[in-house]
């Protein structure tokens, strides 16, 4: 009873700042300027499906790269001694201490045609290499920014694995690869699922990274939504696009959670 | 117990701080001035001793503290005011946005008794179509939109018209306006349409032309142009003449031209007081101060636009006052066209079309 009471402030917070705004998004999506009911926003917003598709594809690519890069890192951290773990964990979270806008701008200074890397290559008469303003640079920017969100839940899950399970697998004749594939990997699925969720959701709705690191062909749905609220003052259309994006994210999370069956999804 | 004491102490401290800051502001008025980015002289730069307009104002009126912030374009300013929850005392929108704001009751009529320097404003800048009876605005600057390019990379044979922005030779090195009104105007100039057309077919044709340009465009920008043109990441961009002069000071390889035959946008940015203002009298004091010839002259020396107060030219750097970029001759200005406010429908259509261009949606086909 007491614990329920303690959760009260959070529930109130959620209700006021999450549930009510969600309701407003739905309301705006289905109304026009004067408040009359309409489907026009949604049908028009749907015309942007190629942009939506591109956003999803960039986010999926960023997720997979984060997983491939992040998993070994999380594994190494989890296997280290306690003091080394603290240092490595700090290193992973360190970039998050700085504004992600600044970090993204720093990449622009590195990658652009007149940037550090291309100027260096220029000394040897190479380039300028097309490092910026393509889909690769946008996905790279997302991986760079969201990687910690993949590593953290993975690390939490792997660190909690019972070492006796691994010993048992080895006693029973598993090689190190088989131990990993048959014991460690299946047991870290909850971490993988929450890592993917935590990377996919912000990545699919990214807007700043694509503006800075992408070319004119790399615009994402987040950029279009931002424009509706910041420039065009068309909240109804912006809300309709957000609603479509939200439904898409819910479906993806739902699909992801099916992989974990009844297992608990790890949280940090 | 210790904990309780420290918590109490924290609260005491917080309250006393709040009380202190309250005291400080009670005899000092905070004036919120909201201007375009890089649109006021703010002290020495690059070895030139520019004035600091805000600093000078606060020296003259020690009771007023100016809180100076900036916006990116007219549309951001409009959205910000429309969404509410903010308070600005002085804003400096462009002509067409002033007309829209007057139409939507977003501006307060000015008390010209408090702005005696209004008499110094040249007649040609008074009673403009955007504010026919001149009740709501006092001109801040006027200027033109042309093309800035880098002479190191751009062939002189290619310059002269807006078509440079569609020249495939410079693919990936061309910048374009990120706001719909300025971007459409360039396409409309090429097509020979008025910048104020509301004809959906003409707007669609302009959008098609922008779509055609898109593969050549490196980025859609506003003030980021300073960075991109300055370090030569991009070579060609359309922009406001005053800003172009600033960029040319930093990078001597940059040059500017107005199209030789096609039309181009001429604009007036004017100071207004939005309906959310809390210190109207002080805002009028600020507007009056800006119109003082010495201040206006010193201000224009830095921002490079035309001053609507001719008397200010006396105080300006003579080279600046004689600049053909800031003050094109009358014959050239004949080709200029000012923006008027579009109807809500036409504006919405233009906004949507520009988003479609940026998103690469080919809805016409």
């Amino acid at each position: 009873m007491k614990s329920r009471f303690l959760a009260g402030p959070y529930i109130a917070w959620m209700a006021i700042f999450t549930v009510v705004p969600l309701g407003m998004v739905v309301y705006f999506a289905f109304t026009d300027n004067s408040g009359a009911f309409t489907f026009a926003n949604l049908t028009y917003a749907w015309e942007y499906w190629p942009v939506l598709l591109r956003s999803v594809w960039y986010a999926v690519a960023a997720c997979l790269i984060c997983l491939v890069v992040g998993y070994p890192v999380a594994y190494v951290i989890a296997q280290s001694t306690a003091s080394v773990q603290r240092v490595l964990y700090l290193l992973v979270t360190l970039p998050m201490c700085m504004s992600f806008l600044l970090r993204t701008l720093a990449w622009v200074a590195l990658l652009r045609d007149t940037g550090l890397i291309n100027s260096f290559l220029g000394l040897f008469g190479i380039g300028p290499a097309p490092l910026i303003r393509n889909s690769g640079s946008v996905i790279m920017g997302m991986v760079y920014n969201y990687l910690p969100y993949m590593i953290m839940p993975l690390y939490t899950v792997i660190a909690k694995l019972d070492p006796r399970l691994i010993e048992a697998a080895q006693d029973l004749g598993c090689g190190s690869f088989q131990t990993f594939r048959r014991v460690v990997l299946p047991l870290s699925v909850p971490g993988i699922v929450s890592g993917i969720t935590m990377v996919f959701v912000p990545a699919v709705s990214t807007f700043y990274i694509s503006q800075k690191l992408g070319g004119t062909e790399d615009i994402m749905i987040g950029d279009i939504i931002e424009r509706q609220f910041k420039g065009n003052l068309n909240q109804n259309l912006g809300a309709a696009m957000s609603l479509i994006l939200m439904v898409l994210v819910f479906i993806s999370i739902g699909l992801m959670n099916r992989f974990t069956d009844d297992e608990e999804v790890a949280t940090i | 117990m210790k904990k309780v004491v420290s918590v109490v102490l924290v609260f005491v401290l917080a309250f006393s701080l709040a009380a202190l800051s309250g005291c400080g502001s009670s005899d000092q008025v905070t004036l919120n001035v909201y201007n375009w980015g890089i649109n006021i002289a703010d002290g020495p730069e690059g070895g030139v001793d520019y004035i600091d307009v805000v600093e000078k104002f606060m020296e003259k009126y020690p009771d007023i503290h100016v809180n100076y912030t900036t916006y990116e374009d007219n549309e951001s300013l409009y959205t910000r005011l429309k969404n509410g929850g903010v308070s600005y005392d002085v804003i400096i929108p462009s002509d067409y946005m002033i007309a829209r704001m007057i139409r939507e009751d977003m501006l307060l009529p000015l008390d010209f008794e408090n702005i005696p320097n209004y008499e110094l404003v040249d007649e040609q800048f008074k009673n403009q179509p955007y504010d026919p009876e001149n009740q709501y605005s006092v001109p801040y600057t006027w200027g033109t939109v042309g093309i800035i390019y880098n002479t190191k990379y751009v062939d002189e044979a290619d310059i002269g018209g807006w078509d440079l922005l569609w020249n495939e030779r410079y693919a990936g090195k061309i910048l374009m306006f990120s706001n719909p009104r300025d971007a459409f105007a360039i396409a409309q100039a090429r097509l020979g349409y008025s910048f104020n057309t509301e004809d959906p077919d003409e707007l669609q044709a302009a959008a098609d032309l922008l779509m055609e340009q898109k593969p050549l465009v490196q980025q859609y920008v506003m003030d980021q142009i300073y960075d991109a043109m300055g370090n030569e990441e991009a070579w060609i961009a359309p922009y406001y003449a005053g800003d172009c002069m600033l960029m040319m000071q930093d990078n001597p390889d940059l040059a500017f031209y107005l199209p030789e035959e096609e039309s181009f946008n001429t604009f007036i940015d004017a100071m207004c007081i939005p309906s959310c203002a809390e210190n109207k009298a002080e805002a009028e004091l600020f507007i009056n101060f800006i119109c003082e010839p010495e201040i206006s002259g010193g201000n224009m020396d830095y921002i490079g636009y035309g001053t609507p107060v001719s008397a200010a030219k006396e105080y300006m750097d003579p080279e600046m006052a004689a600049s053909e970029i800031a003050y094109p001759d009358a014959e050239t200005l004949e080709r200029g066209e000012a923006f008027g406010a579009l109807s809500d429908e036409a504006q919405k259509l233009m906004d949507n079309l520009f988003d479609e261009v940026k998103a690469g949606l080919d809805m016409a086909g």
Side-chain angles (χ1 to χ4, degrees):
Chain A
M1 193 60 214
K2 198 178 173 212
S3 62
R4 214 183 271 180
F5 172 73
L6 285 175
Y10 178 69
I11 292 172
W13 179 270
M14 282 281 288
I16 298 169
F17 295 109
T18 308
V19 179
V20 172
L22 274 182
M24 284 164 72
V25 167
V26 175
Y27 171 78
F28 275 117
F30 284 103
T31 50
D32 64 13
N33 248 339
S34 56
F37 179 84
T38 177
F39 276 117
N41 301 314
L42 280 169
T43 43
Y44 180 65
W46 188 245
E47 302 282 349
Y48 279 88
W49 67 267
V51 183
L52 197 67
L53 203 67
R54 183 188 306 136
S55 306
V56 171
W57 131 240
Y58 282 11
V60 167
C63 261
L64 292 180
I65 298 174
C66 277
L67 182 62
V68 171
V69 175
Y71 195 95
V73 177
Y75 192 80
V76 167
I77 298 178
Q79 299 297 318
S80 315
T81 57
S83 57
V84 177
Q85 266 189 32
R86 270 197 296 277
V87 176
L88 291 177
Y89 192 76
L90 184 74
L91 283 178
V92 168
T93 49
L94 197 61
M96 294 165 75
C97 300
M98 208 172 64
S99 157
F100 102 103
L101 303 181
L102 277 180
R103 283 182 279 135
T104 308
L105 280 178
W107 273 109
V108 175
L110 279 175
L111 296 181
R112 65 184 168 196
D113 296 352
T114 50
L116 284 176
I117 296 174
N118 271 322
S119 305
F120 179 72
L121 290 177
L123 294 178
F124 308 100
I126 313 170
L131 300 176
I132 196 169
R133 293 188 290 272
N134 46 53
S135 37
S137 57
V138 176
I139 294 171
M140 195 265 344
M142 291 202 236
V143 168
Y144 170 75
N145 274 303
Y146 301 130
L147 189 57
Y149 299 112
M150 178 64 84
I151 296 178
M152 285 189 292
L154 280 173
Y155 158 77
T156 322
V157 168
I158 299 172
K160 274 196 223 145
L161 281 188
D162 191 340
R164 285 173 301 183
L165 289 175
I166 297 169
E167 283 164 24
Q170 283 162 349
D171 283 350
L172 294 170
C174 276
S176 51
F177 177 71
Q178 261 188 323
T179 313
F180 174 75
R181 197 174 68 83
R182 298 200 160 195
V183 180
V184 180
L185 193 60
L187 287 174
S188 46
V189 164
I192 295 175
V193 169
S194 50
I196 288 181
T197 312
M198 290 183 66
V199 172
F200 180 78
V201 174
V204 78
S205 53
T206 292
F207 62 94
Y208 186 77
I209 298 173
S210 42
Q211 283 167 26
K212 291 292 142 191
L213 293 172
T216 53
E217 302 294 329
D218 299 304
I219 193 165
M220 293 180 64
I221 194 73
D223 299 309
I224 308 271
I225 295 175
E226 187 213 11
R227 189 76 208 161
Q228 303 313 316
F229 289 96
K230 265 184 72 186
N232 299 357
L233 198 75
N234 194 346
Q235 289 102 332
N236 304 96
L237 182 57
M241 289 173 176
S242 307
L243 187 65
I244 294 178
L245 186 61
M246 215 149 56
V247 169
L248 191 95
V249 166
F250 279 140
I251 293 175
S252 330
I253 294 179
L255 283 177
M256 282 300 300
N257 285 347
R258 294 195 63 167
F259 282 106
T260 52
D261 296 320
D262 298 325
E263 283 171 89
E264 206 179 309
V265 173
T267 45
I268 15 165
Chain B
M1 191 56 210
K2 235 180 173 176
K3 258 190 188 165
V4 176
V5 171
S6 52
V7 167
V8 170
L9 278 179
V10 164
F11 272 99
V12 170
L13 198 68
F15 277 114
S16 55
L17 271 179
L20 265 180
S21 58
C23 279
S25 60
S26 64
D27 53 347
Q28 214 186 17
V29 178
T30 298
L31 188 71
N32 288 303
V33 177
Y34 201 32
N35 192 356
W36 292 76
I38 322 181
N39 201 28
I40 199 164
D42 55 0
E45 192 181 303
V48 187
D49 197 16
Y50 298 114
I51 61 167
D52 186 328
V53 175
V54 170
E55 199 62 47
K56 285 213 171 225
F57 178 76
M58 289 198 285
E59 271 168 29
K60 191 168 176 190
Y61 303 98
D63 295 347
I64 304 176
H65 173 78
V66 174
N67 179 24
Y68 183 86
T69 45
T70 62
Y71 50 83
E72 186 169 61
D73 53 29
N74 283 304
E75 287 69 24
S76 328
L77 165 69
Y78 173 82
T79 315
R80 186 118 185 162
L81 291 176
K82 208 69 180 170
N83 281 335
V86 291
S87 173
Y88 296 108
D89 299 305
V90 180
I91 55 171
I92 311 184
S94 304
D95 33 38
Y96 71 97
M97 192 49 80
I98 295 174
R100 187 175 184 190
M101 286 176 168
I102 293 174
R103 193 172 69 199
E104 298 179 21
D105 269 334
M106 295 166 70
L107 300 180
L108 298 177
L110 303 178
D111 181 356
F112 283 90
E113 303 250 309
N114 293 338
I115 314 175
N117 285 338
Y118 178 65
E119 284 188 10
L120 300 172
V121 173
D122 302 355
E123 282 305 316
Q124 65 185 106
F125 298 108
K126 291 180 177 173
N127 306 325
Q128 291 285 320
Y130 59 83
D131 185 6
E133 287 160 45
N134 222 107
Q135 290 179 298
Y136 299 93
S137 61
V138 173
Y140 179 71
T141 53
W142 67 277
T144 56
V145 175
I147 292 183
I148 184 166
Y149 66 102
N150 193 316
T151 49
K152 266 202 292 190
Y153 307 104
V154 177
D155 191 340
E156 288 289 320
D158 292 331
I159 72 166
W162 289 120
D163 61 338
L164 182 61
L165 296 168
W166 272 260
N167 191 328
E168 288 181 17
R169 249 178 99 178
Y170 306 107
K173 293 295 176 186
I174 298 170
L175 301 177
M176 191 63 184
F177 278 115
S178 68
N179 79 78
R181 199 70 206 262
D182 283 318
F184 267 71
I186 293 170
Q188 285 160 342
R190 283 203 69 189
L191 294 165
Y193 299 152
S194 158
F195 300 158
N196 296 310
T197 178
E198 301 198 348
D199 179 350
D201 294 333
E202 292 193 354
L203 287 172
Q204 182 64 55
D208 291 344
L209 197 56
L210 291 172
M211 186 71 111
E212 201 182 293
Q213 181 202 24
K214 192 188 170 208
L216 312 177
V217 174
Q218 180 186 88
Q219 290 175 83
Y220 292 98
V221 295
M222 287 301 289
D223 279 333
Q224 302 92 301
I225 187 181
Y226 277 87
D227 187 43
M229 291 300 290
N231 64 32
E232 303 181 355
E233 182 77 4
W235 303 338
I236 299 166
Y239 217 60
Y240 314 116
D243 292 84
C244 292
M245 286 172 76
L246 252 179
M247 285 184 258
M248 285 155 64
Q249 277 175 21
D250 290 339
N251 185 341
D253 290 320
L254 298 178
F256 176 86
Y257 70 85
L258 288 171
E260 284 159 12
E261 279 156 21
E262 296 143 305
S263 58
F264 55 87
N265 174 227
T266 53
F267 60 85
I268 298 175
D269 287 353
M271 296 173 279
C272 305
I273 302 184
S275 46
C276 61
E278 281 169 3
N279 308 294
K280 185 159 180 281
E282 286 80 4
E284 283 158 353
L285 213 55
F286 184 85
I287 293 174
N288 190 53
F289 180 80
I290 294 288
C291 292
E292 271 178 29
E294 194 178 346
I295 298 300
S296 179
N299 195 15
M300 297 309 140
D301 268 348
Y302 175 70
I303 60 180
Y305 285 103
T307 172
V309 180
S310 282
K313 286 192 185 173
E314 267 180 52
Y315 298 91
M316 281 173 68
D317 176 1
E319 206 178 302
M320 207 66 181
S323 158
E324 276 176 29
I325 298 177
Y327 304 98
D329 57 49
E331 192 193 333
T332 310
L333 284 177
E334 292 259 298
R335 292 198 308 279
E337 186 184 356
F339 289 151
L342 298 178
S343 69
D344 283 345
E345 296 81 60
Q347 186 64 55
K348 193 170 171 183
L349 177 62
M350 183 188 276
D351 289 344
N352 285 346
L353 284 172
F354 194 49
D355 282 343
E356 287 164 21
V357 168
K358 285 206 219 166
L361 304 187
D362 200 359
M363 309 259 277

